[in-house]
Amino acid sequence: MKILKNAVAGTLESSDLFIQIEPDDTELVLEIDSVVANQYMDAIRGAVLETLKEFDVSTGKIFIKDKGALDCVIRARMETALKRGGVEKE
Amino acid sequence: MSKLMGTIREAIEKAGLKDGMTISFHHHMRNGDYVLNMVLEEAAAMGIRDLTINASSIFDIHEPLIEHIKNGVVTQIECNYMGGRVGKAISQGIMEKPVIFRTHGGRAGDMERGASRIDIAFLAAPCADPMGNLSGKYGPSACGSLGYAFSDAMYAKKVVAVTDHLVPYPLQDASIDEGYVDYVVQTEQIGDPARIVSGTTKITRDPVGLRIAGLAAQVVKHSGYLKNGFSFQTGAGGASLAVAKYVEEMMEKDHIKGSFCMGGITGYMVDMANKGFFDTILDVQCFDLKAIESIRENPKHREISAMRYASPAAKSAAVDSLDVVILGATQVDLDFNVNVHTDSNGYIMGGSGGHSDTAAGSKLAIIVAPLIRARLPLIVDRVLCKSTPGETVDVIVTQRGIAVNPRQKELRDRLIKAGLPVRDIRELKKMAEEIAGVPRPVEMGDKVVAQVLYRDGTLLDTIKNVAEI
């Protein structure tokens, strides 16, 4: 599956995250900025990559500003962003 | 004789400011303070270097300090609290000498004992007469209590009052009297009134905060201290105020009349006293306009100095008569040690203030904090900075449960009997980590950027620099 159009999800509130996605046919670009990067960067990256895999998305641009969101929030916001971006789960 | 100086520069010259001296400031102007910045700007312009700043607190408005540090005008800072702006720069290691953190009581106590010497105190005075009788209760920059300024006035070699509201001699209702003051300077404005106090302090509406406050109030109720003569201190934060609200409801229901409430005072505590729940308000600092009005008008509302509030060097202090205090925390560890100096990444963004004074003095010290804050668990193996020793902390209240210090076995039994959700502190830690994941430990650098002194002047902990990633 591919990201078909630009989309956003989430907020910049504490304990939430803001996600922007853009189409890209050739590569996967993942930029994560988090207030808990020191403590949880691996976990955040893991949750994002797993959601992409679930939707079978292997290319696109993903920009994330994380304000300390829990794993379940990251996955939910990712799902919303991808669906808004035209990705459908098979 | 005239004490009146035309400019700050003239007062600095008369007071004899020289390289290497220690000058002091109080923080009742809080984040609206102009005085510290004005004095340092003038000192820098005069070419003075190597100053030690002893300020009861440093706020974000004091950001120009960073330049003065880089330029060698200021080479050491001593304070009881440091906001995040300056704190971050300190944590990045911009100073050679470590910051010395004290507590509110410890700062006054160290001055009393002669362990901390001040060459010149610069006192922001919302109201003054030409001979240096001073008050915080009047004038456009009114801040209410001048509690933290008393020790500076009494023990500094020279005292300069800076005011924007000069009244004819004698200022009737003076807090600090002329006998302590060498010079008086009139300036246009000593602070930004909007940032000196909050308009009103409000109780939180956050459901997690209310849940924590409700549980904390239950702890107070079942601790056995909530009876006639009850004394109480709580902070100005929304959750702390909510505890006061619930405690008030219990006092009303059970017809309990308290003796005194204390601390930084908010309109909420003033209302409680006016409704008859407390006989006396002991006020070391006012947090909002209502508190200022009350300290001016209400004879039950007493201004107290930092010495009277919390000094361990005094024969007794009010904290020694305090039943219950409600306090916050950024981190708590398995030994109940509390960190209020740094954030979870190790950057300085706070300080003890009266935290460890009241924890040590009170019969029951309750920490209220959410179990998880922006994914970060409250409870850790080892706090990044030991601000208040675990021996003085009795109960940790989170929305998911209450941990009681094992030293307080009887209290623990009482709370369990009352049906409160008492958990082992390890269990609370595990609960948070199951929700948020286990955080990777933070690595600090090798350079000591701050020393944390306990209230008796002994070294409690050191804070290292934050290693940039």
Side-chain angles (χ1 to χ4, degrees), chain B residues 201 248 261 265-278 281 288 290-291 294 298 300-301:
Chain B
T201 33
E248 176 181 337
C261 58
I265 296 297
T266 58
Y268 201 87
M269 301 312 290
V270 169
D271 286 342
M272 277 183 83
N274 286 342
K275 286 184 226 165
F277 293 110
F278 293 106
I281 303 172
D288 58 23
K290 196 169 197 173
S294 167
N298 183 353
K300 287 162 63 161
H301 189 153

Side-chain angles (χ1 to χ4, degrees), chain B residues 36 95 102 167 188 193-194 296 307 314 365 368 398 424 458 468:
Chain B
L36 188 147
M95 277 190 117
R102 292 189 177 83
V167 297
E188 208 166 295
R296 192 164 54 221
M307 289 104 90
V368 292
T398 74
D424 188 280
T458 56
E468 297 291 337

Side-chain angles (χ1 to χ4, degrees), chain B residues 126-127 135-143 164-165 296:
Chain B
C127 183
S135 169
K137 300 174 192 172
Y138 311 92
S141 304
C143 62
D164 54 10
H165 187 62
R296 192 164 54 221

Side-chain angles (χ1 to χ4, degrees), chain B residues 242-313:
Chain B
V243 182
K245 176 179 176 275
Y246 292 131
V247 166
E248 176 181 337
E249 285 168 10
M250 291 170 186
M251 291 175 83
E252 183 165 27
K253 187 167 160 282
D254 297 335
H255 306 289
I256 292 165
K257 198 167 154 45
S259 55
F260 70 93
C261 58
M262 182 162 71
I265 296 297
T266 58
Y268 201 87
M269 301 312 290
V270 169
D271 286 342
M272 277 183 83
N274 286 342
K275 286 184 226 165
F277 293 110
F278 293 106
D279 286 329
T280 305
I281 303 172
L282 297 180
D283 185 341
V284 73
Q285 179 182 18
C286 296
F287 281 134
D288 58 23
L289 292 169
K290 196 169 197 173
I292 295 174
E293 187 193 334
S294 167
I295 201 172
R296 192 164 54 221
E297 312 284 344
N298 183 353
K300 287 162 63 161
H301 189 153
R302 309 305 304 175
E303 179 176 22
I304 57 168
S305 69
M307 289 104 90
R308 170 84 195 281
Y309 172 44
S311 170

